[in-house]
Amino acid sequence: MKRQTIVPRAEIVLLCVLGIGFLLVLQTWAFPLYRVGIIIIMGATLLNIAVGNLSRDAGPWRALLMTVVLLAVVAVVFAIGILLVPTLSQMGQSS
């Protein structure tokens, strides 16, 4: 039986982490656990964006490098969006 490469295993781990995050958000007795759950969900979602776009047969080092590159691309897109908000909102108000 062929052993799974790092990418499918990382996807499984991320899905489990997302599940834990959702359970922490759904609990009703401790607000700090809720906040931890939200942070876990946001982090796992961002990582899932990167890991979901990796080649299935990538080795560990290539997968790590590509994950960092993809996360940097996501960060740049978010930053551009945040920086454009004031400009775009002013454009909408001047009409």
Side-chain angles (χ1 to χ4, degrees), residues 4 7 21 27 29 32 35 44 48 50 56 63 68 70 72 79 88 94-95:
Q4 280 185 334
V7 175
Q27 60 82 29
W29 61 86
R35 288 193 307 202
N48 202 19
R56 304 296 268 169
V68 169
L70 289 169
L88 295 175
S94 65
S95 299

Side-chain angles (χ1 to χ4, degrees), residues 2-92:
K2 186 180 176 190
R3 189 171 173 196
Q4 280 185 334
T5 59
I6 190 76
V7 175
R9 286 188 280 169
E11 289 175 341
I12 292 169
V13 169
L14 283 171
L15 287 175
C16 292
V17 169
L18 273 170
I20 291 169
F22 281 121
L23 288 176
L24 289 174
V25 167
L26 291 174
Q27 60 82 29
T28 58
W29 61 86
F31 187 69
L33 290 177
Y34 173 84
R35 288 193 307 202
V36 169
I38 290 291
I39 292 169
I40 288 173
I41 290 171
M42 289 189 307
T45 300
L46 289 174
L47 278 172
N48 202 19
I49 290 170
V51 172
N53 286 304
L54 293 176
S55 172
R56 304 296 268 169
D57 58 351
W61 291 110
R62 184 166 187 263
L64 180 63
L65 177 66
M66 290 305 298
T67 300
V68 169
V69 168
L70 289 169
L71 286 175
V73 169
V74 170
V76 167
V77 169
F78 271 85
I80 290 171
I82 290 168
L83 293 173
L84 284 177
V85 166
T87 305
L88 295 175
S89 66
Q90 287 177 353
M91 288 172 61

